[in-house]
Amino acid sequence: AAAEPPLRWEPRCRQQLRHLQDGAGIAARLPPRLEGRWVSTGCEVRPGPEFLTRSYLFYANRLFKAYQFYYWDPSCRDPSYSLVIKGKLRLRQASWITRGATEADYHLHKVGIVFHSQKAMREVASWINQTSGEGCSGFLPPGRTWAPGALYELLSAKTERDCTAALGFAMHELSLVRVEQHYQPLLQPQQSGSRLVEELYLGDIHTEWLERLHYRPTGYQRPMQSAVHHVHPCPACGIIYRADEHHPPILPARAPLPMRLSGSWVSTHCEVRPAVLFLTRYFIFHGNNHSWEGYYYHYSDPLCKQPTFTIYASGHYTQGIPSSKVRGGTELAFKVTQARVTPMDQATVMMLNSSEPGSCGLTSSWSAGVEQDITPTNGCLALGIKLPHTEYELFKTEQDTKDRSLLYIGERPTDGSSPDSPNKRPTSYQAPLVQCAGAPEEFSNYVSLKHLGRKDSNGNEALKPLPVAFLLFLALLCLRWD
């Protein structure tokens, strides 16, 4: 059993965390079934930033046809260019690095590009002409006039031509695959029962542009949903489903939301990060004094049922300013001044008790389920937490189709570093948190976790990602537990 959230937490926040700790009714088939069409459920943001929507069709004979539609704007209303990608995918064994995922091999047959404006054509042609090898230097002669609907070949397996690198294009996302199923209750009062929802998780995109061409994913990007079995309502799904490279999706206009952080926010899924991290997050923002509290629950499994450790952190944040780099985003700086750790299993207890004296709480004093303050030791070296610590963040708020407020926080650097300087500020987002309570000024003081039976795992990773040695240690444990 996982730990109970603090008794004074808002009931909806407790309910959501319990729902996730109970597995959230999710089933995942191994190996996954991919046949059919999968679509984005909205405008996606990739590191860079890049704004895109995706529509992937997998056939029973392992062939696939994928569309990627790129845009100038974060609302996906002003198309730049579209890619049509054809190839073959072969599912292999279950991943030993990312539990719950299946590894796959893919081979690209063709990649074509359609430009949606003269500006897009000129920009992409200049990228290719400047950065590609001899075979691509004359991809488009200077001054070539944009031809609406014309398809230009970027990659061909037959002719061994590949001019995709200048776009930062790679399909390594196909090398890590997971399909989840759950049931969505029918919303209409006159209906009872539920409908099946299927989500396709593909490998994450490296946060560094130069690394993405050869990075092999260990985490996921925002999931696509089955065109047949998706969450309703989904205004974007039908638009993206009907699109092709000549008719890119134009998503419905949405009014920008002001950044209102005050309140409580909680994960919507068990989240997966690169390098063997599964976690759920719970944040409380106090707008009256710009202070924040975060609970990070870490687990060893992809359904967040086997807790490993919890971190509570707190500090202050700055007034937000609109991001000049990622339109629609808000830039903030977060200072972490206090942290507490609760190991939840014996493996983590052993690791913390064997850490260097004075580097992580009281020496050799850790035990399962017992929280310890790591502020006096300026953090915890074994967990990669350094105090005090400042991170330069990117935030965005949206409303989903059920009118719930969603909070997107900047994606963590793939290389395990920390965004501890303005030039390392994220340009893309993690999975969203949902608001589960309004301004929580009534619990502005820290409430310690009450543990019942086998304890919950509250893992803080927003401080500083975990050292590689510890991640390898966790990976070996995962292998043993399997």
Side-chain angles (χ1 to χ4, degrees):
E4 289 290 311
L7 296 176
R8 289 169 62 194
W9 279 8
E10 217 280 351
R12 281 179 300 164
C13 303
R14 288 165 54 85
Q15 184 181 1
Q16 172 67 2
L17 281 169
R18 278 195 183 135
H19 174 61
L20 296 178
Q21 290 159 2
D22 290 341
I26 288 170
R29 289 183 54 156
L30 282 175
R33 282 194 60 184
L34 294 182
E35 289 84 7
R37 186 175 293 279
W38 304 83
V39 295
S40 302
T41 56
C43 195
E44 300 177 354
V45 185
R46 282 187 175 178
E50 287 181 329
F51 308 111
L52 77 157
T53 57
R54 296 176 291 156
S55 175
Y56 292 2
L57 177 61
F58 295 94
Y59 299 96
N61 61 359
R62 298 182 184 168
L63 294 175
F64 70 85
K65 182 179 183 180
Y67 293 118
Q68 293 182 353
F69 307 102
Y70 290 83
Y71 302 81
W72 299 108
D73 67 304
S75 301
C76 290
R77 292 183 53 77
D78 185 9
S80 168
Y81 63 87
S82 298
L83 298 181
V84 55
I85 305 139
K86 296 179 180 179
K88 194 163 194 174
L89 181 75
R90 182 173 68 90
L91 296 176
R92 295 171 58 218
Q93 72 275 4
S95 171
W96 70 270
I97 297 175
T98 307
R99 289 182 68 186
T102 298
E103 294 180 358
D105 289 329
Y106 71 92
H107 179 68
L108 296 182
H109 298 158
K110 282 186 177 182
V111 178
I113 186 168
V114 174
F115 302 105
H116 302 304
S117 67
Q118 181 76 37
K119 177 188 172 188
M121 183 179 190
R122 193 166 52 241
E123 193 167 285
V124 172
S126 70
W127 295 341
I128 293 174
N129 290 339
Q130 287 169 25
T131 60
S132 298
E134 207 171 289
C136 300
S137 56
F139 172 71
L140 284 175
R144 171 73 69 87
T145 304
W146 169 55
L151 179 70
Y152 301 93
E153 194 174 76
L154 284 172
L155 178 149
S156 168
K158 270 187 182 174
T159 63
E160 297 185 351
R161 186 190 200 203
D162 184 357
C163 304
T164 60
L167 298 176
F169 170 84
M171 286 299 284
H172 299 328
E173 62 193 273
L174 294 177
S175 62
L176 197 69
V177 180
R178 177 177 169 87
V179 173
E180 289 187 355
Q181 294 181 334
H182 66 273
Y183 286 87
Q184 175 195 15
L186 297 175
L187 300 176
Q188 291 78 3
Q190 70 273 20
Q191 292 180 306
S192 60
S194 57
R195 65 162 57 88
L196 176 66
V197 174
E198 288 189 302
E199 293 188 305
L200 171 62
Y201 287 83
L202 296 176
D204 60 312
I205 309 298
H206 202 287
T207 51
E208 286 295 323
W209 181 271
L210 295 175
E211 297 293 327
R212 61 200 291 180
L213 295 181
H214 47 81
Y215 168 66
R216 291 293 166 169
T218 55
Y220 303 120
Q221 56 187 306
R222 175 172 169 170
M224 306 168 79
Q225 290 188 5
S226 163
V228 178
H229 303 295
H230 59 264
V231 168
H232 290 264
C234 177
C237 293
I239 297 171
I240 297 170
Y241 174 79
R242 291 187 293 271
D244 61 32
E245 67 269 36
H246 304 295
H247 308 92
I250 311 294
L251 299 192
R254 301 181 70 174
L257 288 181
M259 176 60 65
R260 291 200 183 101
L261 273 186
S262 289
S264 301
W265 307 80
V266 68
S267 295
T268 59
H269 288 86
C270 178
E271 300 171 18
V272 183
R273 302 276 176 81
V276 211
L277 288 173
F278 304 100
L279 75 158
T280 58
R281 297 173 291 154
Y282 175 76
F283 286 104
I284 306 166
F285 296 100
H286 307 284
N288 59 342
N289 61 3
H290 276 213
S291 65
W292 68 278
E293 301 170 76
Y295 298 83
Y296 303 77
Y297 300 80
H298 282 268
Y299 302 83
S300 63
D301 68 297
L303 290 180
C304 288
K305 286 186 169 186
Q306 299 167 14
T308 53
F309 64 96
T310 285
I311 304 175
Y312 163 85
S314 63
H316 289 82
Y317 60 95
T318 61
Q319 185 76 35
I321 59 168
S323 171
S324 57
K325 196 165 187 181
V326 187
R327 275 196 290 156
T330 299
E331 295 181 353
L332 302 100
F334 274 74
K335 184 145 191 181
V336 188
T337 53
Q338 292 187 336
R340 298 173 171 89
V341 173
T342 310
M344 305 307 264
D345 64 356
Q346 285 305 319
T348 307
V349 169
M350 286 169 53
M351 188 267 300
L352 293 175
N353 278 333
S354 61
S355 59
E356 190 180 323
S359 70
C360 186
L362 296 173
T363 305
S364 302
S365 64
W366 294 93
S367 58
V370 179
E371 183 183 67
Q372 192 174 145
D373 190 354
I374 58 170
T375 311
T377 52
N378 297 320
C380 179
L381 191 62
L383 295 179
I385 302 169
K386 182 183 174 186
L387 296 174
H389 180 66
T390 299
E391 297 206 333
Y392 295 85
E393 267 298 356
L394 180 73
F395 276 47
K396 175 179 72 168
T397 51
E398 283 184 358
Q399 273 196 316
D400 68 7
T401 52
K402 300 174 190 170
D403 291 328
R404 300 181 305 173
S405 293
L406 301 178
L407 174 64
Y408 291 82
I409 299 177
E411 191 171 353
R412 308 299 302 170
T414 309
D415 65 4
S417 65
S418 172
D420 52 9
S421 62
N423 65 332
K424 293 180 73 176
R425 193 186 300 274
T427 56
S428 56
Y429 302 98
Q430 299 174 45
L433 306 172
V434 65
Q435 188 165 35
C436 55
E441 311 311 341
E442 65 274 15
F443 23 85
S444 57
N445 293 325
Y446 169 66
V447 182
S448 66
L449 295 175
K450 307 294 182 190
H451 300 294
L452 303 178
R454 176 96 193 276
K455 315 308 192 264
D456 180 280
S457 164
N458 192 1
N460 193 346
E461 209 240 345
L463 311 184
K464 203 172 180 187
L466 306 182
V468 172
F470 180 55
L471 295 175
L472 291 173
F473 170 72
L474 278 181
L476 291 171
L477 286 175
C478 292
L479 278 176
R480 199 172 68 215
W481 288 337
D482 281 342

